[in-house]
Amino acid sequence: MALDKGCFKIVSTGHFTPEGVLSNHDLEKIVDTTDEWITSRTGIKERRIVNGKNTSDLATIAAMNAIEKANYDKDKIDLIIVATFTAELRSPSMACRVQAKLGLDKPGILAFDINAACTGFIYGLNIAEKMMYSGSYKSALVIGAEVISKFTDYKDRNTCVLFGDGAGAMIIEKDESKEVIFNVQTKSDNDLILYVDDYVNMNGPKVYQFASRVIKSSVNGVLEYGNIDRSQIKKIIPHQANIRIIQSASKALKMPMESFYVNIHKYGNTSAASIPIALDEMLEEETMEAGDKVILVGFGAGLTSGACLLTF
Ligand code: UT7
C-alpha cells in the first residue's frame, strides 16, 4: 500500500452529464435483458449518453461549472490533469484540449492525462497534491471525464447495461491546514479481468470480488494511517460500479449505507468521472463545515485502487 499524507484545500467542484438518457427499458429493446435484472443486480435505472460531444467537451464543461460556482479566476490554474480512458484523440491529451477550450494561455501551465481507469480521479488528486507540495504549482484542475458509450458493445449484455458518459472536476490549492491522506496502489492482473480494446471487456464476477475486498482495505488504510475513527467520517464517496458492491462495503466496514453517497441509479458506471460527479452532487445536497472529513474510494482496470481522505 502506498500510504501518504499531504494537504490541499478544495476550492470548488463541478460536473456535467449529457442530456441523453438511456433507460433500462430502452436497453430491453436492443439486448436480451430486463429492467428487473439490471436494477436488482446493479442498482442502475438509467445512464447518460452523449450526442455530438467528445470527452474533452464534457471535461471542459465540468471544469467551467467548477470555475463559475466559485467565481474563480481561471488564470490562476497552472496544472491540469485529466483522468480518462476514452480520449477522443491519441494526441494531444484531453488536458491540453481542456486548456485550449478554457483559453488558458499564460506561460508555465502543465497539462497531461492519466489512465488509471475508474481510480483515475484519485490518482490525479494524488499526483496534483505532490506537484503542488513541491512548490512548483499553486492551483490544480483535476478532472475525470469519460465517453464510454463509444467503447461499449451494445450487443454484449454483460457490459452494455453498466456504463454511461459524464465528467466531474475539482479545483484545489495548497493549504497546510487541510490534511489529505492517500492510499493508492496497483495489483497486477495477468488474466486481464477488465480491459478495453475496441470495447470494454470484463469478467464481472472476478472484478466484483476484487472491488468488494479492496474498498474495505483502502478505506481502513487511510483511517489507520491518519489515526481517525470512522465516526469522524461525514461521507464516503465510492466509485459507482454496482450498488451491491457498495452494500457489501458498508457491511464489511460496519458503516451504515447512509454514510455512502449513491447516484448509480441515474448515471451507471462513468469510470474516472464517477467519483467527482458523485462528490459534486453530494456537495450540492449537503453543506460541509470546516474540518469535515470525506473519503473517496475507487477501483478499476489495472487493477488500480485507492482511497483519499479529504478535509473540508
Ligand atoms: O468500474 C469497475 C469495473 N466494473 C465493476 O466493478 C463491475 C463488477 N461486477 C459486477 O458488477 C457484476 O459482476 C455484474 C453486474 C457485471 C454481473 O452481475 P453478476 O451477479 O456477477 O452476474 P453474472 O456475471 O454472474 O451472471 C449471472 C447471469 C448469467 O446467466 P447464467 O449463465 O447464470 O444463465 C449471465 O449471462 O446473469 C446473466 N446476465 C444477464 N442477464 C440479463 C449477465 N448480464 C445480464 C443482463 N441481463 N444484462
Side-chain angles (χ1 to χ4, degrees):
M1 279 195 291
L3 280 155
D4 68 81
K5 283 189 188 183
C7 60
F8 60 69
K9 84 169 167 210
I10 300 163
V11 175
S12 188
T13 57
H15 78 277
F16 174 73
T17 51
E19 298 78 21
V21 173
L22 182 66
S23 70
N24 292 350
H25 293 297
D26 295 329
L27 284 164
E28 283 176 344
K29 293 178 199 136
I30 57 177
V31 75
D32 180 17
T33 192
T34 59
D35 171 51
E36 197 284 325
W37 190 95
I38 304 169
T39 307
S40 63
R41 303 310 290 166
T42 71
I44 302 167
K45 294 299 286 183
E46 57 188 41
R47 64 291 290 142
R48 299 299 181 87
I49 304 293
V50 288
N51 182 5
K53 287 192 177 73
N54 274 321
T55 304
S56 66
D57 300 314
L58 272 54
T60 306
I61 301 170
M64 271 314 293
N65 184 231
I67 290 166
E68 282 166 6
K69 268 194 216 174
N71 199 15
Y72 192 68
D73 174 7
K74 62 185 166 73
D75 284 322
K76 283 168 124 181
I77 295 167
D78 51 13
L79 176 62
I80 305 170
I81 300 176
V82 176
T84 186
F85 75 86
T86 56
E88 75 261 20
L89 297 171
R90 284 175 191 266
S91 184
S93 68
M94 295 296 95
C96 291
R97 297 303 300 135
V98 169
Q99 177 183 1
K101 288 178 186 191
L102 289 176
L104 301 180
D105 288 332
K106 173 185 89 164
I109 297 175
L110 189 67
F112 61 91
D113 289 358
I114 57 162
N115 178 346
C118 310
T119 322
F121 185 74
I122 292 174
Y123 277 40
L125 288 180
N126 192 199
I127 295 164
E129 192 278 329
K130 293 288 155 290
M131 293 182 73
M132 288 195 299
Y133 193 76
S134 74
S136 305
Y137 299 91
K138 295 197 166 40
S139 168
L141 170 62
V142 182
I143 303 170
E146 306 283 11
V147 175
I148 308 177
S149 56
K150 290 191 180 161
F151 295 86
T152 300
D153 178 359
Y154 286 98
K155 289 191 216 71
D156 178 9
R157 69 175 183 175
N158 290 297
T159 53
C160 75
V161 302
L162 304 174
F163 297 99
D165 304 333
M170 186 189 279
I171 299 168
I172 57 177
E173 288 180 356
K174 191 171 164 180
D175 181 338
E176 304 222 334
S177 71
K178 307 285 185 193
E179 181 178 70
V180 289
I181 302 174
F182 286 99
N183 177 11
V184 288
Q185 58 202 304
T186 310
K187 179 181 183 304
S188 64
D189 173 23
N190 287 327
D191 298 330
L192 274 180
I193 63 173
L194 177 53
Y195 68 94
V196 185
D197 45 21
D198 290 343
Y199 298 122
V200 177
N201 300 270
M202 179 171 63
N203 180 329
K206 284 211 168 146
V207 178
Y208 187 100
Q209 280 166 21
F210 165 70
S212 301
R213 273 197 310 270
V214 86
I215 293 187
K216 181 184 175 192
S217 60
S218 300
V219 169
N220 279 338
V222 290
L223 291 174
E224 281 158 24
Y225 194 67
N227 198 19
I228 293 163
D229 188 84
R230 62 201 60 206
S231 62
Q232 293 172 256
I233 302 304
K234 180 116 178 183
K235 214 73 168 183
I236 297 193
I237 315 282
H239 170 44
Q240 310 282 313
N242 187 322
I243 189 70
R244 291 186 294 130
I245 292 175
I246 301 172
Q247 285 161 344
S248 104
S250 150
K251 226 173 174 177
L253 286 162
K254 298 188 176 57
M255 295 175 80
M257 270 305 277
E258 296 73 57
S259 322
F260 292 79
Y261 188 81
V262 174
N263 64 4
I264 190 170
H265 50 290
K266 296 193 286 184
Y267 305 128
N269 181 345
T270 57
S271 193
S274 110
I275 289 173
I277 293 173
L279 176 66
D280 189 44
E281 286 203 336
M282 188 270 285
L283 292 175
E284 284 169 357
E285 291 164 22
E286 277 191 51
T287 311
M288 292 288 139
E289 308 289 338
D292 279 349
K293 294 184 189 314
V294 166
I295 296 178
L296 315 179
V297 59
F299 52 86
L303 297 166
T304 61
S305 61
C308 168
L309 183 142
L310 301 169
T311 307
F312 281 79

